[in-house]
Amino acid sequence: MSPRAAPPRFGPLQLALAAAGTAAATLDLCMDGWVAAEYARRGHPGWAALSLSLLAAASAAAQACSWLWLRSDPPALRPAVPVALLAALHLLQLGFFFRCLHALKVGWRVCWAKAEDEDEQRHMAFLSHDISMLRLFETFLENTPQLTLLLYIILRTNKAELSQGLGMGTAFLCVSWSLLDYHQSLRSFLQDKYELSLGSSIIYFLWNLFLICPRILVVALFALLWPYGVAVHFPLVWLAMFLWVSLQGTDFMESPGPEQLYRAVVAVILYFSWFNVAQGRTLYRSIIYHGFILVDSTLLALAWLWGRAPSEEHSYLLPVVSAALPCYLLGLGLRVTYYKWLHPNVQVQQEGRCDEVDATGGSEEVEFRSFLEPDLVNRRMQWLAQTHFALSPPALQHFLNGAAAV
């Protein structure tokens, strides 16, 4: 039996990035509050209420996921604080920030106090992965709807305040960055992996940005003419995505009820961006998804072009809308470029091995790092490993038990 793989080292650079991520989440929350306060101050209480409602709904869903995960985690992985205090923090919508601060405390201990303690390294890897997922969930539940609302208000008033401009900038960066951070977090589970290079990370960041921007633009334009039409369009598309996710048979949470919450969150993500939820090759599912989003977005743009009144006020939007389709196609092209030439899997295949995260090709066994002791494994990590890395049963057993595959 081969020895258990060592976890990836968590050093000062990773600690600095974790601190920056926590600071960015705090800044984003402050920006959302500032924007809502500006709406109320300028006599638009409805916009302020809608902005705060989106923030509250996103936070509630993320806090619910965080609490459910904590309750299902092995006791050794839970923070050493009373359960009642953890529950109170989540009810006060502070659970995610508590996780971030707890991870920074563990990270500091890993970097300076017990740098060679592999158990602490494994614990830190586990904490970082959960935080990455929660950040992704909250970003798509809150930032993308807020972006759509911000763009709608800017287009309707035909002017942009400083708070709105800063809010849009930070939100766009948070959305694309959360996808890149999540992708890198998943890659940390691969044994003998190739890290994403700077060029690969930039392309990954850009293709997500170029795919998300046109989607938000056309939804905002559609809302500009038919504000209540979005209240019909979003639930219909969300329901279609929810059914699609359900048909793929996800098994992420510990029980059927929370699993529906997970599927509902993923359906919101899919309204704006691709997100893999099933094991196996994603090529055909990706084609179906992007084809659907492209058709849906095109119909929204055509509806705006058909229903708009000719005026000089929004004449600048015509070239913007005309550029939306090339932007989306550019995003698809960058995605193909990434997986064809820049994905670390290309280097691994040249050495005769397989290294997949999105399960886009190949069926060879993948080697994984065993981050945790056998008694500290939870079903959440097991399901993520099966879904994103296309684990064969022996490799899965190796991953779970920290031993060589039999």
Side-chain angles (χ1 to χ4, degrees), residues 180 195-205 338 342-344:
L180 175 60
E195 298 282 358
L196 287 179
S197 66
L198 178 61
S200 297
S201 298
I202 292 175
I203 295 299
Y204 192 92
F205 178 89
Y338 172 82
L342 298 176
H343 194 283

Side-chain angles (χ1 to χ4, degrees), residues 195-393:
E195 298 282 358
L196 287 179
S197 66
L198 178 61
S200 297
S201 298
I202 292 175
I203 295 299
Y204 192 92
F205 178 89
L206 288 177
W207 71 251
N208 280 291
L209 185 64
F210 289 156
L211 291 179
I212 292 171
C213 286
R215 179 64 174 173
I216 291 176
L217 173 64
V218 296
V219 174
L221 288 176
F222 183 73
L224 189 61
L225 292 183
W226 296 286
Y228 297 104
V230 176
V232 177
H233 177 265
F234 175 78
L236 289 177
V237 176
W238 175 87
L239 180 60
M241 295 301 176
F242 179 83
L243 293 175
W244 193 43
V245 172
S246 300
L247 289 174
Q248 295 181 64
T250 63
D251 187 24
F252 182 75
M253 304 293 267
E254 292 289 331
S255 59
E259 187 66 25
Q260 301 307 312
L261 172 63
Y262 168 75
R263 293 174 179 177
V265 171
V266 171
V268 176
I269 296 176
L270 288 170
Y271 183 85
F272 294 99
S273 176
W274 163 257
F275 188 78
N276 184 32
V277 296
Q279 184 178 353
R281 292 176 61 88
T282 64
L283 177 61
Y284 299 115
R285 292 197 302 271
S286 181
I287 291 175
I288 292 172
Y289 170 80
H290 286 293
F292 175 86
I293 292 297
L294 186 58
V295 171
D296 182 69
S297 299
T298 301
L299 290 176
L300 292 179
L302 291 176
W304 175 78
L305 287 171
W306 174 73
R308 74 181 187 92
S311 65
E312 294 296 327
E313 188 178 11
H314 293 106
S315 59
Y316 64 91
L317 287 177
L318 286 175
V320 174
V321 174
S322 301
L325 179 59
C327 180
Y328 194 88
L329 295 178
L330 175 60
L332 290 177
L334 288 176
R335 184 179 182 187
V336 171
T337 300
Y338 172 82
Y339 284 109
K340 183 72 174 177
W341 292 288
L342 298 176
H343 194 283
N345 190 36
V346 175
Q347 293 175 281
V348 178
Q349 286 176 345
Q350 292 174 353
E351 298 182 4
R353 295 184 287 118
C354 181
D355 176 17
E356 299 178 19
V357 169
D358 295 319
T360 54
S363 58
E364 300 176 18
E365 183 175 309
V366 186
E367 293 187 49
F368 295 85
R369 296 181 183 272
S370 286
F371 283 152
L372 303 175
E373 299 289 350
D375 59 336
L376 298 185
V377 174
N378 61 49
R379 291 184 66 255
R380 187 166 65 251
M381 290 184 67
Q382 174 184 347
W383 186 85
L384 284 172
Q386 289 174 307
T387 299
H388 294 278
F389 302 127
L391 278 170
S392 63

